[in-house]
Amino acid sequence: MEDDSDSQKTLESVATSPTPVASDVGSRLEHGSRSIRDPASASEMSWADDPDLGMATDDPDLDMAEDDADFDIAEDNAVSLSSAKSKRTPSQKGSARLARRGMADIEREAEEMRNILITQYGLDMSDEVVCDVSESESESDEEREVDYDTDLDMDMDKWLNADQLRLKDDLTGERRYTAACDAMGVTPATYFVKHITDQEVHMRFHGLGPRGAKAMCVPLRTNSKIEKLDLEGNWIDEAGCGSMAEMLRDNIYITELILSENKIGSTGALSMCEILMKNDTITKLDLSGNDIKDSAAENICQMLKKNTSLRHLFLSHNHFEEEGALHFKEALSYNESLETLDLSWNRFRTRGAIYIAEGVQENYGLRILNFSMNGLGLAGAEAMGKALKANRTLLDLDISFNRIPEEGAGHVAVGLQVNDVLQSLKISSNPLGSDGSLALLVAVDRNDCSCLKYLELLNVWVMDSFIDLKDKLERERNLIVVYGGLKKKLLKLTTLRGVEWERWLANNPMTKIKNYIRDTGYRLIDLFRDFDKDGNMSITKQEFHIGIQSAGIVMTKEQVDELVKRLDKDGNGEVDYGELMEGDREYRQALRAAAAKKKVMVESGGVTEDGDESESSGVPSVIRMLMSERSSTSSSESVAS
């Protein structure tokens, strides 16, 4: 009876114990999977020790189940799992081969778990749950293989050469640039890193220096994206320029290179010329403002003779002189591929300018020439005028700031009179005079084949006749003319012709005062003291009128007022002794200038010895140059025909 009561209690405890459902099965399977992934936890717990399964070693119900045949499998499994405690379980740091378990072992363990649940609880497991267990364990197996990969399966060459392989796979060059900056001890330029794959890179005034430029050259050797590189004002000096030249040996994609204001000197220019003798991809090179001396001109010109791909060369603000101009003349005579040449703000002076003009005269390819601020002078302007007569390719010419006088403007106008290709002429800030600027417009007006569309005459003052002709050319030829301003037409002794200046001299109030002093033997200071009645060393307008009447000088009231106005420099209404002396000095200078001009006009046929005007006296001398040149050209053509 005792045994029957104990059996009854056991059955009741089994009946009242919670029956596991599918979700509980999944959680237990997950718990089992974690134990398999973690060998440490597997060594500490067996299926017999799981309290959720009711299989603790101290459970009294185990004694009653010893004779049950269906429980033998569970007992054997518990013994098998408990015996695993005494075995060494590999950890994560151990061998991956020992830690891995195949699908057969996992399926076997899942089947054992399924049998335990069926025999102990009578639970019927569905195939769907078993399938889910298999898939979950399959995924866990894959994760475990990844998680427990050790150095036993590692590629030693890949591990040892990781940095080299990382740089080898650097398609943009960013990693190589960063590594080069680290090696040279410079800070990488963020702008360059961001735009390393752009077509144009503009890094003006970034403070690169020679080492920064050298680091940039490392990725640029193989860069196939950048076509225009602007490094103006980075002070890379001759060392950085040398690095750029070496980079161009391998790079065949950069076509425009701007290295202006970098202080590369003659040495840097020589290294660049050396590589450009072989490089045929650079079409534009800017070396302006780099302190390049005259000694480098020969190498530059040798490069221009051999290089046929360079189209635009900028060499302004350097130190080229007469000897360099001779080399440039030779290069211009030989090279026919160069289209733009900037030699402005150098030190060629007059003789060097003549060499350059002679080179332009023989050139057949140049389109744009900037030769401003080089001291052409009269002789250089004459040579440039001859070049304009012969050259048939030049479209844009800048000869501003070259000390070209009025006569020099006439020589340039002679060239414009026959030139039929030039489209833009800049001749600003030269002492051309109003007649010189007028001569340029007259030349364009006389040339029916002229293509000139833009004429720049900044800081050059013109007269009314220039304005009239400008308006005409703007209407008929669409010519754009920029000039300094309109000069007021003042009556000056030097502008009078023929008997006009003698008539003006006779009626001038100062002439009458000078005649009175000469006739009376007075000095100018004596006359001033006679007029200064109050002795304050200043003569008012009223004192002037009284003094003129007392001295018996024949002058009208208007003439006296005009004389006081001319002498009163500070405009205070009074004339002091200093202002009187200044007026006398200006009068004598004007008198000498008028006499000299009369002599020139007599020699040129402008006036006769008696002062009568000739037929051509009203035409400025520079305009007569155009007339004589045109008549001589017509005579030559008629003789040739």
Side-chain angles (χ1 to χ4, degrees):
M1 294 296 293
E2 229 173 274
D3 294 337
D4 294 338
S5 62
D6 293 337
S7 299
Q8 185 66 27
K9 291 178 181 180
T10 301
L11 292 175
E12 289 176 358
S13 63
V14 171
T16 57
S17 63
T19 303
V21 293
S23 60
D24 296 328
V25 174
S27 63
R28 287 175 174 77
L29 292 179
E30 182 179 1
H31 177 74
S33 177
R34 288 198 301 270
S35 67
I36 292 173
R37 292 194 199 98
D38 190 355
S41 64
S43 63
E44 296 173 3
M45 180 179 290
S46 64
W47 294 110
D49 296 332
D50 192 345
D52 295 335
L53 296 177
M55 296 174 63
T57 56
D58 57 353
D59 193 342
D61 294 337
L62 291 177
D63 297 334
M64 299 179 61
E66 290 180 353
D67 297 333
D68 192 349
D70 295 334
F71 198 73
D72 290 340
I73 298 176
E75 182 179 9
D76 294 339
N77 185 57
V79 174
S80 174
L81 293 176
S82 63
S83 64
K85 296 180 179 180
S86 62
K87 296 182 181 180
R88 179 180 178 274
T89 302
S91 62
Q92 293 184 6
K93 298 182 180 179
S95 172
R97 180 175 61 82
L98 296 176
R100 298 195 185 100
R101 306 184 68 178
M103 281 297 300
D105 295 336
I106 296 173
E107 291 176 356
R108 181 177 57 79
E109 292 176 359
E111 184 65 24
E112 290 175 355
M113 292 170 58
R114 181 173 177 272
N115 291 335
I116 291 172
L117 295 176
I118 292 174
T119 57
Q120 181 176 354
Y121 300 106
L123 182 63
D124 186 12
M125 301 288 289
S126 64
D127 294 337
E128 182 179 359
V129 175
V130 175
C131 181
D132 292 339
V133 172
S134 177
E135 292 178 358
S136 175
E137 293 300 330
S138 176
E139 294 177 358
S140 301
D141 182 66
E142 294 179 359
E143 295 176 358
R144 185 170 60 255
E145 289 183 0
V146 175
D147 294 341
Y148 289 90
D149 191 11
T150 64
D151 57 349
L152 296 178
D153 299 326
M154 182 179 294
D155 188 347
M156 295 300 294
D157 292 337
K158 182 177 181 181
W159 179 67
L160 294 174
N161 301 313
D163 293 339
Q164 288 80 353
L165 293 175
R166 183 173 62 89
L167 295 179
K168 185 177 180 180
D169 296 337
D170 183 19
L171 300 179
T172 62
E174 177 181 344
R175 297 174 184 171
R176 279 173 292 162
Y177 172 62
T178 305
C181 290
D182 293 340
M184 297 176 191
V186 296
T187 304
T190 306
Y191 181 90
F192 182 66
V193 174
K194 290 182 179 179
H195 299 272
I196 197 171
T197 58
D198 291 355
Q199 187 175 0
E200 297 184 2
V201 174
H202 300 272
M203 295 186 64
R204 303 176 60 190
F205 304 100
H206 272 64
L208 293 176
R211 290 188 297 174
K214 187 176 182 180
M216 285 184 60
C217 292
V218 173
L220 286 176
R221 287 178 179 272
T222 56
N223 186 286
S224 60
K225 302 294 184 181
I226 299 175
E227 297 181 5
K228 180 179 180 180
L229 181 61
D230 186 353
L231 299 179
E232 178 184 355
N234 279 284
W235 211 283
I236 67 174
D237 68 38
E238 58 188 41
C241 186
S243 301
M244 287 288 167
E246 288 297 323
M247 176 269 296
L248 291 176
R249 293 183 185 273
D250 301 322
N251 188 294
I252 58 173
Y253 298 97
I254 294 179
T255 59
E256 297 185 22
L257 181 60
I258 301 175
L259 298 178
S260 57
E261 302 296 338
N262 273 294
K263 306 302 178 185
I264 66 173
S266 299
T267 305
L270 294 180
S271 61
M272 192 59 64
C273 290
E274 181 181 356
I275 191 62
L276 287 180
M277 288 186 179
K278 304 174 183 178
N279 184 289
D280 58 354
T281 58
I282 296 292
T283 60
K284 178 180 179 180
L285 178 64
D286 190 347
L287 298 179
S288 302
N290 276 301
D291 295 331
I292 303 175
K293 302 296 189 294
D294 206 35
S295 57
E298 183 177 1
N299 296 81
I300 295 175
C301 295
Q302 290 296 328
M303 178 270 295
L304 289 176
K305 290 180 181 179
K306 295 183 179 180
N307 189 303
T308 58
S309 61
L310 188 63
R311 295 289 184 268
H312 313 281
L313 179 61
F314 300 86
L315 297 171
S316 64
H317 292 84
N318 284 297
H319 304 298
F320 298 115
E321 300 178 10
E322 289 186 10
E323 184 178 354
L326 192 58
H327 293 296
F328 279 110
K329 172 189 174 182
E330 186 178 355
L332 288 173
S333 303
Y334 190 89
N335 186 295
E336 296 182 359
S337 59
L338 191 66
E339 297 179 0
T340 304
L341 179 61
D342 187 354
L343 294 175
S344 60
W345 292 81
N346 277 283
R347 303 175 180 179
F348 292 112
R349 302 293 188 270
T350 301
R351 191 61 201 165
I354 293 175
Y355 289 145
I356 298 297
E358 291 174 352
V360 173
Q361 184 174 349
E362 300 174 5
N363 182 271
Y364 291 97
L366 199 63
R367 300 288 188 273
I368 301 173
L369 174 63
N370 188 345
F371 202 68
S372 60
M373 199 64 185
N374 273 299
L376 275 172
L378 177 58
E382 184 178 0
M384 195 61 70
K386 293 179 180 179
L388 289 177
K389 291 175 64 177
N391 187 283
R392 288 294 177 269
T393 60
L394 192 64
L395 303 178
D396 191 324
L397 176 63
D398 188 349
I399 50 176
S400 304
F401 297 96
N402 270 297
R403 298 186 291 108
I404 300 176
E406 181 178 302
E407 186 178 353
H411 290 295
V412 175
V414 169
L416 288 177
Q417 191 170 228
V418 296
N419 185 284
D420 56 359
V421 294
L422 190 68
Q423 297 179 1
S424 173
L425 175 62
K426 300 174 183 177
I427 191 170
S428 303
S429 300
N430 284 295
L432 306 178
S434 57
D435 290 341
S437 57
L438 179 61
L440 296 173
L441 282 188
V442 171
V444 176
D445 185 45
R446 286 172 174 267
N447 186 358
D448 296 333
C449 299
S450 176
C451 295
L452 195 67
K453 299 299 180 183
Y454 181 78
L455 177 61
E456 184 178 281
L457 294 167
L458 295 175
N459 298 321
V460 177
W461 294 82
V462 299
M463 300 295 287
D464 293 332
S465 54
F466 178 94
I467 301 298
D468 296 338
L469 185 55
K470 176 189 76 71
D471 295 340
K472 173 189 174 184
L473 293 175
E474 285 180 349
R475 290 192 307 269
E476 298 178 357
R477 310 248 187 119
N478 295 323
L479 176 64
I480 299 175
V481 182
V482 181
Y483 57 93
L486 179 63
K487 183 190 298 184
K488 294 182 179 179
K489 189 173 182 180
L490 301 176
L491 185 61
K492 293 184 178 180
L493 195 58
T494 55
T495 62
L496 300 178
R497 296 183 295 272
V499 297
E500 291 183 3
W501 71 275
E502 294 181 349
R503 189 180 304 112
W504 178 89
L505 184 63
N507 296 326
N508 192 296
M510 198 65 185
T511 303
K512 296 183 177 182
I513 291 180
K514 295 288 287 185
N515 292 337
Y516 174 80
I517 292 174
R518 186 188 65 238
D519 295 340
T520 59
Y522 266 34
R523 296 174 302 173
L524 195 59
I525 183 62
D526 298 330
L527 183 64
F528 181 83
R529 288 172 179 172
D530 287 347
F531 287 2
D532 185 17
K533 299 300 182 181
D534 55 6
N536 63 349
M537 297 300 293
S538 180
I539 306 174
T540 63
K541 184 184 293 186
Q542 184 179 3
E543 290 177 336
F544 234 108
H545 281 283
I546 296 174
I548 292 295
Q549 293 178 358
S550 300
I553 302 175
V554 180
M555 293 177 64
T556 63
K557 181 178 180 300
E558 290 76 12
Q559 288 177 329
V560 175
D561 292 341
E562 179 66 23
L563 179 61
V564 172
K565 183 178 179 180
R566 290 184 183 183
L567 296 177
D568 185 15
K569 301 298 183 183
D570 55 8
N572 62 352
E574 298 181 355
V575 179
D576 57 30
Y577 181 71
E579 291 174 334
L580 181 62
M581 294 299 295
E582 179 66 19
D584 179 61
R585 186 184 64 81
E586 291 178 355
Y587 173 79
R588 286 185 281 108
Q589 286 181 349
L591 194 62
R592 287 194 297 268
K597 186 167 185 177
K598 178 181 178 181
K599 180 180 179 181
V600 172
M601 295 180 68
V602 170
E603 293 176 353
S604 62
V607 295
T608 62
E609 291 289 346
D610 298 332
D612 297 330
E613 295 183 7
S614 62
E615 182 179 358
S616 61
S617 61
V619 181
S621 58
V622 289
I623 305 299
R624 290 200 296 272
M625 288 174 59
L626 298 177
M627 298 171 61
S628 60
E629 179 67 22
R630 188 168 186 178
S631 60
S632 62
T633 303
S634 302
S635 301
S636 301
E637 292 177 354
S638 61
V639 171
S641 60

